Amino acid sequence: MAITEHRDIEKGDNKGLEDLVEPLFDAGLKNVEETGQNGSISMVVLSTAVAVCGSLEFGSCVGYSAPVQSGISIDLNLSVAEYSLFGSIVTIGAMIGAITSGRIADMIGRKGAMTLSAVICMAGWMAIFSSMGTLLLDAGRFFTGYGIGIFSYVVPIYIAEIAPKNLRGALTTLNQLMIVTGSSISFLLGTVVSWRTLALTGLIPCFLLLIGLLFIPESPRWLAKVGREAEFEYSLRKLRGSKANVFAEADEIHETILTLQSLPKARLLDLFDAKYIKAVIIAVGLMVCQQSGGINGIGFYASETFQTAGLSSGKAGTIAYALIQIPVTMLGVVLMDKSGRRPLLMVSSFGTFLGCFLAGTSFFFKSQAVYLDWVPLLAVSGVLMFIASFSIGMGAVPWLIMSEIFPLHIKGAAGSMAVLVNWFGAWAVSYSFNFLINWSPAGTFWLFSGFSLLTIIFVVKVVPETKGKSLEEIQVLINK
């Protein structure tokens, strides 16, 4: 799912914030040699690889419900309402996880938070695997949701806090890429294994993460923040290399922490102040636009959607859905700082409009018993166009813009509000989707296509272009 990157910068680092979202390939290997002058990056790469196992788990959880709907519904005799609750309750757990993630990560550290999240996810998967009825099934889904809610915060924060400035954007981008990869793997495996077996595969990223955490250091910024100076120096040296000169970076980290601690703490009501309200409207509006386009309904129940369109099996469409996400997401990463945010959002939204319109039209043809030979092709083409278009822009760009438009001292409160709106929207769409499809498949997709058109209007009228601008320039642009 597209709701993964909640950065509480108020509790992190304000140096080089723009690099948190620098595209993967723009950082490039050209920076590796520069980094090597100050020490080895091998531990940074290893630490990032371990952390993004949490992102892989996130994607596995989000992608689980799409290929298993038929199997679970038949085996456990679930009604449409019962399966809709199962599919959507993950977002309720994730919402609560996201709310508590910042406090948890500050209390027990970034590694501690990832450990806790992995254990909770494992408990959730075992509950799903063992379930013989709705109670254990829904409880397991809720626990996996809570776990990925923590992952959605702590993984990008940990990576941003351990990475050198010139590699921070490249490494942080891996978070989104691994979420998509995890979702695609679940889609593919779900077409060849049972739903209970697929639940067991969700344990694998957690095992890899727990093992990997034994060999990587804690975030030096968190250690400095809680006053563990000896461990702070050890962690920083381990990340930068034993021969690296870390004194300048250590001083910078301490200075940043002191600066952030001196800033006033924003309250929720402060967000409605005249000087912040436009930024809040932009961020919350983009989250509403992202979810109202239908991504969590279409994604959670893709297999059943294809079968409703007339395919003998939803497997072929589900496989195509899975395979298209990764390369298109990588293309979006490349284009992020080349084409600009606004053009990418508008092209993406037009693509989701066209995809949903085609899918809706296919269902309309089916209901009228005309052009029946074209119905499956139009439905599959529409859904694939939708997911490709969403992955290239609407999936990641709203989170990027959210990280850029708020002043430093209100980022935490404003980011939390935007994340809550996003998760609530994810729940509303994923829970109502099956009911909407039963009401009118054509009407459902045309409704989503209408919201995509409204997104284009919102971007044109309200959203500023932040490409190539400093955080200070963005504030001037928003408030002029």
Side-chain angles (χ1 to χ4, degrees):
M1 178 177 108
I3 46 185
T4 55
E5 294 187 24
H6 173 205
R7 303 184 180 94
D8 190 354
I9 304 300
E10 211 169 22
K11 300 175 181 175
D13 176 22
N14 71 336
K15 299 290 184 180
L17 284 172
E18 66 277 5
D19 296 324
L20 285 173
V21 288
E22 178 185 336
L24 177 62
F25 303 105
D26 281 358
L29 293 177
K30 64 183 181 180
N31 290 325
V32 173
E33 183 178 350
E34 177 185 338
T35 305
Q37 294 173 1
N38 297 322
S40 171
I41 65 162
S42 58
M43 182 53 67
V44 173
V45 173
L46 175 62
S47 299
T48 301
V50 171
V52 295
C53 289
S55 310
L56 193 66
E57 173 66 13
F58 188 119
S60 299
C61 184
V62 170
Y64 178 77
S65 62
V68 302
Q69 181 172 357
S70 177
I72 292 181
S73 297
I74 293 172
D75 289 354
L76 301 183
N77 194 28
L78 300 185
S79 65
V80 170
E82 287 172 330
Y83 193 81
S84 295
L85 178 61
F86 168 73
S88 63
I89 200 171
V90 66
T91 59
I92 301 296
M95 191 187 306
I96 298 172
I99 293 171
T100 59
S101 59
R103 187 174 296 275
I104 290 172
D106 275 353
M107 286 178 60
I108 62 176
R110 302 347 184 187
K111 286 177 62 177
M114 286 189 279
T115 301
L116 177 64
S117 182
V119 171
I120 292 173
C121 284
M122 291 171 71
W125 285 122
M126 291 307 300
I128 293 173
F129 172 78
S130 306
S131 61
M132 301 301 292
T134 58
L135 182 61
L136 202 55
L137 188 73
D138 291 342
R141 186 73 166 157
F142 176 84
F143 281 128
T144 57
Y146 184 81
I148 66 172
I150 297 174
F151 276 138
S152 70
Y153 168 80
V154 74
V155 170
I157 283 293
Y158 176 77
I159 296 172
E161 289 181 346
I162 66 167
K165 178 181 176 180
N166 60 339
L167 292 178
R168 188 175 296 137
L171 294 176
T172 305
T173 305
L174 290 175
N175 176 58
Q176 178 67 20
L177 187 59
M178 292 304 290
I179 291 173
V180 173
T181 301
S183 175
S184 296
I185 291 172
S186 283
F187 271 54
L188 293 173
L189 289 178
T191 63
V192 294
V193 302
S194 72
W195 62 273
R196 293 188 191 274
T197 303
L198 186 61
L200 291 180
T201 66
L203 299 172
I204 296 174
C206 295
F207 278 124
L208 294 175
L209 178 65
L210 291 174
I211 294 170
L213 287 173
L214 299 174
F215 302 98
I216 64 174
E218 179 57 271
S219 162
R221 284 169 172 78
W222 178 78
L223 292 170
K225 184 176 181 180
V226 297
R228 291 158 61 171
E229 289 298 323
E231 294 172 73
F232 161 69
E233 184 178 342
Y234 172 78
S235 174
L236 194 58
R237 285 196 177 279
K238 194 169 183 181
L239 288 165
R240 300 296 179 258
S242 58
K243 298 181 180 179
N245 183 354
V246 298
F247 295 111
E249 185 175 1
D251 289 341
E252 185 179 278
I253 290 172
H254 283 117
E255 180 185 341
T256 298
I257 291 171
L258 290 173
T259 300
L260 290 173
Q261 289 175 343
S262 68
L263 291 173
K265 297 296 180 182
R267 300 170 301 165
L268 188 62
L269 290 177
D270 293 336
L271 302 180
F272 298 95
D273 189 284
K275 58 188 173 185
Y276 305 134
I277 190 63
K278 187 173 181 181
V280 170
I281 290 172
I282 293 168
V284 171
L286 284 174
M287 296 305 169
V288 172
C289 290
Q290 184 190 68
Q291 292 302 325
S292 62
I295 180 60
N296 280 297
I298 297 170
F300 277 24
Y301 310 111
S303 180
E304 288 300 305
T305 301
F306 292 132
Q307 290 187 43
T308 304
L311 292 180
S312 57
S313 169
K315 290 184 177 180
T318 302
I319 291 171
Y321 186 110
L323 292 177
I324 203 171
Q325 287 190 96
I326 299 175
V328 174
T329 299
M330 294 178 70
L331 176 61
V333 166
V334 174
L335 293 175
M336 192 86 73
D337 270 345
K338 294 188 180 298
S339 64
R341 285 46 156 164
R342 278 165 50 92
L344 209 54
L345 284 172
M346 287 187 283
V347 169
S348 176
S349 298
F350 181 76
T352 59
F353 155 75
L354 193 57
C356 285
F357 184 80
L358 287 177
T361 301
S362 74
F363 286 115
F364 177 75
F365 287 162
K366 184 181 179 182
S367 68
Q368 300 299 311
V370 296
Y371 305 117
L372 293 180
D373 291 340
W374 287 90
V375 168
L377 178 62
L378 279 175
V380 173
S381 299
V383 171
L384 294 183
M385 180 180 294
F386 171 87
I387 189 58
S389 300
F390 182 88
S391 297
I392 206 170
M394 281 303 296
V397 175
W399 298 98
L400 165 57
I401 291 178
M402 186 193 79
S403 74
E404 295 175 319
I405 62 174
F406 291 118
L408 191 62
H409 64 287
I410 71 162
K411 267 187 191 293
S416 295
M417 174 186 282
V419 168
L420 283 177
V421 169
N422 190 284
W423 279 119
F424 180 79
W427 171 80
V429 172
S430 59
Y431 182 73
S432 64
F433 183 80
N434 279 326
F435 297 104
L436 289 171
I437 286 291
N438 286 343
W439 160 68
S440 171
T444 300
F445 279 93
W446 284 341
L447 179 66
F448 291 150
S449 68
F451 280 118
S452 293
L453 285 180
L454 291 176
T455 297
I456 296 174
I457 297 172
F458 179 78
V459 171
V460 171
K461 296 290 187 180
V462 180
V463 179
E465 179 56 71
T466 60
K467 172 194 172 186
K469 294 180 174 63
S470 69
L471 300 181
E472 292 74 21
E473 290 171 336
I474 292 171
Q475 289 305 306
V476 172
L477 181 64
I478 289 175
N479 293 310
K480 68 179 181 180

